[in-house]
Amino acid sequence: MNLLVPLLLAPLFSSAIIMILPNKKLGKILFLTTGAIHLTIVFFFWFEKPFPILKGWLELDSLGLLILSLMSLLFFCASIAATNHLAHTTLLRNRDKTGRKVLSEKKTLAVMLLFLESMTLSTLSQHLGLFWIAIEATTLASAPLISYHRHPRSVEATWKYLLICSVGIALAFIGNIFLSLSITDPGSGSTVSLLIRDLAASGRPRDSLFKTAFIFLFVGYGTKIGLSPLHTWLPDAHSEAPAFMSSLLSGALLNGAFLGILRISTIYTAQGESAFIQRIFMLFGLISLLTALVFMIRQKDYKRLLAYSSIEHMGILALGFGLGGRGVYGALLHLLNHSLIKGALFLTAGNILALYGTKKAPKVRFMLQKLPGSSFLWITGFLAITAFPPFGLFFSEFIIAKTALESGRVLVSIIFFLALTLIFIGSAYLFLPMVLGKDGAREPGKKETPLSLAVPLLLLVLSLLLGIYFPAPLAEVVEKAVLYLGGSI
Amino acid sequence: MYFSIEILILFILLSDLLLLASSRILLCIRTLALQGILLSLLPFLIEKEDLELHRLLLGLLALILRGIVFPLMIKRTVLKVGVKREVEPFIGFTASLFLGVLAFVGCFILDDKLALPISADHRFLLPVAFFTIFTGLFLIITRKKALTQVIGYLVLENGISTFGISTLAKDPWFLEVGILLDLLVGVFIMGIIVFHINNEFDHIDSHQLSMLGDWKKGSITNYLNAEREDK
């Protein structure tokens, strides 16, 4: 049997069953099991690639496998965090302690599974129309989870997210139409299907339409990635969502949308337009880097800082892919590490928020005393995300910077180094005071649960391992993905 | 048949202008319904010779959703929230109409410049599709009520769909069902969020949703004051 079928059906069925099940505990078990099954199936794909289904519309290539594995791993972590969170919050008629309504437990679990389903579909789609549907579905499935706490702030964030992303994705649809109009079949002269490989192999496209299509697609999916200046919804949504959801949004969903643009870019590379798209990638990458820099210096809200950091790293990714050559390799490594670290950081931020009840960093002090475990994770995460040497991000940023210098782009490298340094200083200014210091009264805060520490720890350790030791099967898949994207190792 | 396509396109154009000029949300919803029905009829008229059964069913599904279900869902939210009028949009209704007419001229020029590889039989189809896309975006940007923005989003989708029809690409049925399903869930969730906005803020003016963000009016002076307080 083809394992793609259960991979796609499991979340869908489980989510339906959870809605019907009367017992909450059973629902949670089913939820966790589904996450585990998903992860197991994806693990099997590393040994044996599944056959494409639906006439090649759904196919797992190396790049898809990388991103799907990250997504599945992060979802499994988030599912543990979510059930852990639900087990430690007492709700009375779906209202929390402050009397605010939250999304009911059943709906939370069911919608999260639908989110997993749509993300999985997006990594598998080789057809641009199907990919569009999947990405729009990820927006819709994540929106209810962003307004999990029905606080005015989260409702506001959800509205911005829903409207800005939906309109953005609608623009990507216009891009799809332009693309299908611009490419004609060499034999019959009719339009070809929107399958990536058909588009890449087709005859010479109509030039201006072909380029117009890329701009629409880039702006459309770029909105979903949060490339500046299309990022305005991102800090709001990522900071207002509950921790387990933020980690998925930053760690998994951004990659999913990026995957789309990368697949589209292979069409343009195949048609000999790589210089054109590389310029666009680099431009948006640098703008995102600088925008993130402006908002990260003296940022007071630690979850917003993490969200802006996601914009920064998406900018670095775009820059790496834009540089081409070895930059593609660096960017792929960067993507892997960023997801792991950002997932860990958002989950840790959830622990902090649970104790202090505020997202304002100046109000969070003496963490070392009150949350020793989370303090360790927070500082380690800080070092990891600002690319300190043993962690994987150091190597990926090093490769990207080296590529930029080697290709003679001095200005780009200067901006890159300057932005990274200033962002490091800005982040240190927020992260470090939160942890350090002692207050006189030794009030033992709410206890950290072992699970709430173990999950982020696992992700950070993985990123550390990626920095030190790169296993052979992973290296092989990364190499294939890099070649697919037209880069070199 | 050719004549009837032109009439349909003309009515779509008129519905866009009505949407730009109207302040009453219920009227906008009715116009949206009309537009949805008209646009769902288009594919029947264009590809009349080889109409397969599944295409017919798809067309009917689109007609029911765009013409009846979506407008009814928005109407339900309107009745729940109790907001009937769009008050003082960023660009007034007369000005909107005027800009709309200008944009329509622009759409013809755009169509001329793009020179899309589409049969000349339906030469009004593309400008009107572009104009509908413009109308949708314009409504989203210039109107204040979250509900009118939902209507704008659907008008935008209508425009894109009209544009898609003109390419005559034959997508498999599940793709179109998928798109319609996304739209259905989208309108449903947007309706719920509008309802939440109304509950939490006691209004649905999206421009007043400004609790979040890092660039606020006087943010620098506030920041400096806070700095002083810290010391």
Side-chain angles (χ1 to χ4, degrees):
Chain A
M1 189 179 67
N2 197 323
L3 280 174
L4 281 181
V5 179
L7 185 77
L8 282 167
L9 290 183
L12 206 59
F13 277 118
S14 304
S15 119
I17 293 170
I18 285 173
M19 282 310 282
I20 303 167
L21 272 183
N23 190 329
K24 276 186 186 172
K25 198 160 188 182
L26 273 179
K28 267 186 203 162
I29 293 170
L30 184 62
F31 174 67
L32 285 172
T33 325
T34 314
I37 291 175
H38 195 275
L39 190 60
T40 321
I41 297 178
V42 172
F43 184 68
F44 275 124
F45 288 162
W46 282 83
F47 300 102
E48 199 184 320
K49 277 232 171 107
F51 294 109
I53 51 175
L54 276 175
K55 293 179 200 159
W57 282 43
L58 295 175
E59 186 185 343
L60 193 65
D61 48 16
S62 299
L63 183 63
L65 179 60
L66 273 183
I67 289 176
L68 180 64
S69 310
L70 270 179
M71 185 176 284
S72 189
L73 178 68
L74 275 168
F75 183 85
F76 185 64
C77 292
S79 70
I80 296 173
T83 41
N84 196 32
H85 171 84
L86 290 173
H88 288 89
T89 40
T90 39
L91 297 179
L92 192 66
R93 293 182 181 198
N94 289 333
R95 280 168 197 279
D96 64 6
K97 278 176 290 185
T98 53
R100 213 164 260 297
K101 244 186 156 179
V102 299
L103 196 65
S104 77
E105 200 173 308
K106 256 188 198 174
K107 280 185 196 158
T108 309
L109 301 182
V111 173
M112 269 186 86
L113 284 175
L114 290 180
F115 184 46
L116 174 68
E117 169 80 20
S118 53
M119 286 199 299
T120 311
L121 190 63
S122 74
T123 53
L124 296 176
S125 323
Q126 297 286 345
H127 186 280
L128 288 181
L130 194 60
F131 179 75
W132 185 90
I133 293 174
I135 284 288
E136 174 69 16
T138 57
T139 313
L140 299 174
S142 48
L145 293 163
I146 291 172
S147 65
Y148 174 80
H149 300 283
R150 211 160 294 160
H151 190 277
R153 279 200 307 266
S154 44
V155 172
E156 178 185 332
T158 314
W159 181 249
K160 286 183 183 170
Y161 174 61
L162 205 53
L163 203 69
I164 295 175
C165 284
S166 296
V167 172
I169 297 168
L171 292 182
F173 199 93
I174 301 181
N176 275 351
I177 299 173
F178 272 123
L179 192 59
S180 92
L181 282 175
S182 74
I183 293 187
T184 45
D185 189 48
S188 62
S190 61
T191 51
V192 296
S193 77
L194 281 174
L195 267 175
I196 307 256
R197 76 181 107 73
D198 287 1
L199 289 170
S202 70
R204 181 87 188 107
R206 288 179 180 76
D207 200 45
S208 61
L209 270 186
F210 192 52
K211 286 181 175 171
T212 314
F214 186 75
I215 290 172
F216 270 99
L217 288 164
F218 193 87
V219 167
Y221 294 128
T223 311
K224 194 77 204 212
I225 300 172
L227 289 173
S228 177
L230 312 159
H231 68 283
T232 46
W233 60 272
L234 192 145
D236 298 349
H238 287 209
S239 65
E240 290 308 320
F244 54 88
M245 199 53 202
S246 310
S247 69
L248 273 183
L249 288 174
S250 260
L253 183 56
L254 297 182
N255 293 347
F258 219 118
L259 174 68
I261 291 203
L262 291 179
R263 289 228 168 103
I264 292 161
S265 73
T266 60
I267 304 169
Y268 284 77
T269 314
Q271 301 280 8
E273 289 288 355
S274 54
F276 165 70
I277 58 166
Q278 282 179 353
R279 271 207 303 277
I280 295 182
F281 267 103
M282 288 211 306
L283 180 70
F284 275 82
L286 286 177
I287 295 175
S288 307
L289 204 55
L290 291 176
T291 311
L293 167 68
V294 169
F295 288 102
M296 279 169 87
I297 294 180
R298 320 293 306 247
Q299 176 63 250
K300 298 254 164 185
D301 183 320
Y302 55 88
K303 276 192 94 173
R304 284 184 86 82
L305 183 98
L306 293 181
Y308 278 114
S309 151
S310 293
I311 298 175
E312 174 214 339
H313 287 284
M314 287 302 127
I316 297 177
L317 284 188
L319 189 63
F321 287 120
L323 285 168
R326 256 175 80 79
V328 175
Y329 175 59
L332 267 186
L333 288 187
H334 199 87
L335 182 146
L336 288 176
N337 284 298
H338 168 254
S339 293
L340 296 172
I341 299 168
K342 194 48 71 61
L345 273 172
F346 265 119
L347 290 177
T348 316
N351 294 349
I352 301 172
L353 183 60
L355 177 68
Y356 288 88
T358 175
K359 281 185 282 224
K360 294 266 172 281
K363 290 186 181 159
V364 178
R365 288 293 179 261
F366 321 121
M367 261 171 65
L368 208 52
Q369 235 174 10
K370 294 177 180 172
L371 292 168
S374 299
S375 304
F376 170 73
L377 293 171
W378 195 236
I379 290 299
T380 319
F382 158 68
L383 293 177
I385 202 79
T386 49
F388 252 66
F391 288 98
L393 280 188
F394 172 76
F395 300 101
S396 57
E397 287 182 3
F398 183 74
I399 294 172
I400 293 172
K402 196 162 162 262
T403 318
L405 277 174
E406 278 173 357
S407 59
R409 293 191 172 87
V410 182
L411 190 64
V412 172
S413 355
I414 290 176
I415 295 175
F416 184 65
F417 282 124
L418 205 65
L420 288 186
T421 316
L422 288 176
I423 284 171
F424 171 72
I425 297 172
S427 316
Y429 196 80
L430 178 133
F431 273 88
L432 298 179
M434 290 172 71
V435 175
L436 299 174
K438 277 183 183 167
D439 63 347
R442 277 188 63 96
E443 43 158 340
K446 194 163 81 178
K447 265 194 178 165
E448 297 164 305
T449 55
L451 271 180
S452 72
L453 295 178
V455 175
L457 186 65
L458 170 77
L459 293 173
L460 282 178
V461 167
L462 278 178
S463 168
L464 188 62
L465 281 179
L466 278 184
I468 299 168
Y469 168 69
F470 214 63
L474 182 62
E476 191 188 326
V477 169
V478 168
E479 192 183 333
K480 272 187 195 156
V482 168
L483 293 179
Y484 168 72
L485 291 172
S488 60
I489 291 190
Chain B
M1 263 325 192
Y2 174 68
F3 181 65
S4 56
I5 294 174
E6 304 287 284
I7 295 270
L8 271 189
I9 293 171
L10 186 66
F11 269 102
I12 292 179
L13 169 67
L14 287 176
S15 67
D16 286 336
L17 292 174
L18 193 55
L19 282 165
L20 285 175
S22 161
S23 73
R24 281 167 43 214
I25 292 181
L26 285 175
L27 179 64
C28 283
I29 294 174
R30 253 176 264 140
T31 317
L32 179 74
L34 174 74
Q35 196 180 60
I37 292 171
L38 291 173
L39 127 83
S40 316
L41 288 176
L42 267 180
F44 291 115
L45 295 179
I46 290 180
E47 35 179 326
K48 54 204 175 299
E49 55 271 5
D50 51 347
L51 205 58
E52 299 145 28
L53 182 66
H54 76 268
R55 294 244 138 225
L56 194 72
L57 291 177
L58 256 181
L60 276 178
L61 182 68
L63 187 95
I64 292 168
L65 285 178
R66 287 183 196 275
I68 301 168
V69 177
F70 297 158
L72 276 182
M73 283 162 82
I74 303 178
K75 191 176 171 188
R76 224 188 77 198
T77 320
V78 170
L79 296 180
K80 262 195 198 163
V81 173
V83 174
K84 297 264 163 69
R85 265 174 184 283
E86 176 69 46
V87 191
E88 289 178 14
F90 290 113
I91 295 179
F93 299 104
T94 324
S96 302
L97 198 58
F98 182 66
L99 283 175
V101 173
L102 282 186
F104 188 54
V105 178
C107 288
F108 265 98
I109 297 171
L110 181 70
D111 178 47
D112 195 43
K113 280 260 177 339
L114 279 173
L116 293 172
I118 290 168
S119 69
D121 292 356
H122 321 298
R123 64 203 150 92
F124 291 124
L125 193 60
L126 276 180
V128 171
F130 292 148
F131 183 56
T132 311
I133 292 172
F134 165 83
T135 309
L137 288 172
F138 191 83
L139 286 179
I140 294 172
I141 295 167
T142 61
R143 303 302 194 245
K144 288 178 176 171
K145 303 283 178 212
L147 263 171
T148 328
Q149 292 176 328
V150 180
I151 296 175
Y153 173 66
L154 281 173
V155 174
L156 170 67
E157 284 287 346
N158 281 349
I160 294 175
S161 169
T162 315
F163 184 27
I165 291 168
S166 61
T167 67
L168 295 177
K170 287 204 170 44
D171 292 325
W173 62 272
F174 57 86
L175 215 55
E176 294 193 18
V177 172
I179 293 167
L180 285 172
L181 192 67
D182 268 352
L183 267 182
L184 179 67
V185 179
V187 175
F188 179 67
I189 292 180
M190 283 182 185
I192 293 176
I193 303 293
V194 169
F195 186 60
H196 289 336
I197 295 176
N198 190 48
N199 276 350
E200 298 298 334
F201 293 89
D202 289 323
H203 63 73
I204 55 165
D205 296 350
S206 61
H207 71 291
Q208 287 188 40
L209 297 179
S210 55
M211 293 176 88
L212 299 165
D214 297 292
W215 276 141
K216 280 184 189 144
K217 238 187 190 171
S219 65
I220 293 177
T221 46
N222 284 346
Y223 168 70
L224 290 175
N225 289 339
E227 196 84 332
R228 255 174 244 135
E229 277 167 29
D230 282 354
K231 287 169 187 166

